[in-house]
Amino acid sequence: RFITLTSSSAVGTDAEANANLNMKVMLEEIHRDVLPFLGGGTVDGANSARKEIIDTMDKLIAYCKENEIDHIRYGVVPRPIIIQDFFHIDNVAINGASVIFSGDLERGNSRQFHPLQLCQSIHDVHSVDPVASQNIVNKLLVGTGKTYKLKTNRERPQRWRVNGLFALRIIEMMGITLADGNNLLTSWAIEMHLIGGKVTGVDCQWMKQ
């Protein structure tokens, strides 16, 4: 079981700043008797991430020395254990594969035919008015005996699992065929386009195509 100590952003952009944040949080949240037993961390393979773990450990040992906390183990000063973070490594691999599959995403181009752009466009349109958007879905499904809850997420390349789960929900939406022969996603985009507005107009036109 993992307990999150903080969700704070780094106070700077380098390993030193992140190490300072790590020390601040540990001193606030972890009992001093436990501090000497902290042994390292997980990284994504980036040199800055590895250095952050090393700097954090160096600061921890220095703190123990200054405050006379026993930190020697079997006559040896502990060194950091750096564990490769498989979640980050998988993320790098998935992102690389997606670029080969569908090309790079053009930020700000809502008309680009790209799977991630579709996810972002759906989110942009739905988040303008989630209640009205869901009401349209409900209206389109009247008489079909089916229900569908439209839940969207902002597209983030570094969060491939979130993107993947969102994509599954969209595939489910596309798999629902209505009486006019259109799938639910297409009919929803048409209805949202009729509402108008800058976001719904541009993004829905793309989705209809």
Side-chain angles (χ1 to χ4, degrees), residues 71-79:
H71 60 281
I72 303 298
R73 296 290 173 263
Y74 303 102
V76 177
V77 176
R79 298 302 301 157

Side-chain angles (χ1 to χ4, degrees), residues 179-200:
D180 61 1
N182 285 331
N183 63 64
L184 179 58
L185 174 62
T186 300
S187 295
W188 170 82
I190 292 172
E191 293 289 332
M192 290 297 288
H193 180 61
L194 294 176
I195 293 177
K198 181 178 179 181
V199 174
T200 56

Side-chain angles (χ1 to χ4, degrees), residues 23 27 32 35-36 57-72 76-79:
M23 279 300 300
L27 294 177
R32 59 174 281 150
L35 290 175
M57 193 68 176
D58 289 343
K59 292 177 183 294
L60 178 62
I61 296 301
Y63 177 86
C64 290
K65 289 179 179 178
E66 293 171 4
N67 293 273
E68 299 181 346
I69 301 175
D70 182 18
H71 60 281
I72 303 298
V76 177
V77 176
R79 298 302 301 157

Side-chain angles (χ1 to χ4, degrees), residues 32-142:
R32 59 174 281 150
D33 292 342
V34 178
L35 290 175
F37 295 94
L38 300 178
T42 59
V43 299
D44 59 0
N47 290 333
S48 59
R50 298 173 66 87
K51 189 174 187 304
E52 176 188 337
I53 299 299
I54 295 172
D55 288 353
T56 301
M57 193 68 176
D58 289 343
K59 292 177 183 294
L60 178 62
I61 296 301
Y63 177 86
C64 290
K65 289 179 179 178
E66 293 171 4
N67 293 273
E68 299 181 346
I69 301 175
D70 182 18
H71 60 281
I72 303 298
R73 296 290 173 263
Y74 303 102
V76 177
V77 176
R79 298 302 301 157
I81 298 173
I82 300 177
I83 303 172
Q84 296 295 331
D85 185 347
F86 56 90
F87 284 116
H88 281 93
I89 294 171
D90 286 353
N91 183 66
V92 172
I94 292 291
N95 283 343
S98 69
V99 171
I100 297 299
F101 167 71
S102 53
D104 287 316
L105 181 65
E106 299 174 13
R107 295 294 175 186
N109 181 8
S110 60
R111 291 178 178 271
Q112 181 190 12
F113 285 84
H114 193 287
L116 295 181
Q117 184 62 62
L118 175 61
C119 289
Q120 183 61 49
S121 293
I122 292 172
H123 174 69
D124 288 343
V125 172
H126 177 67
S127 59
V128 170
D129 192 336
V131 175
S133 175
Q134 183 61 49
N135 285 340
I136 287 175
V137 171
N138 296 341
K139 183 189 74 172
L140 290 170
L141 291 175
V142 170

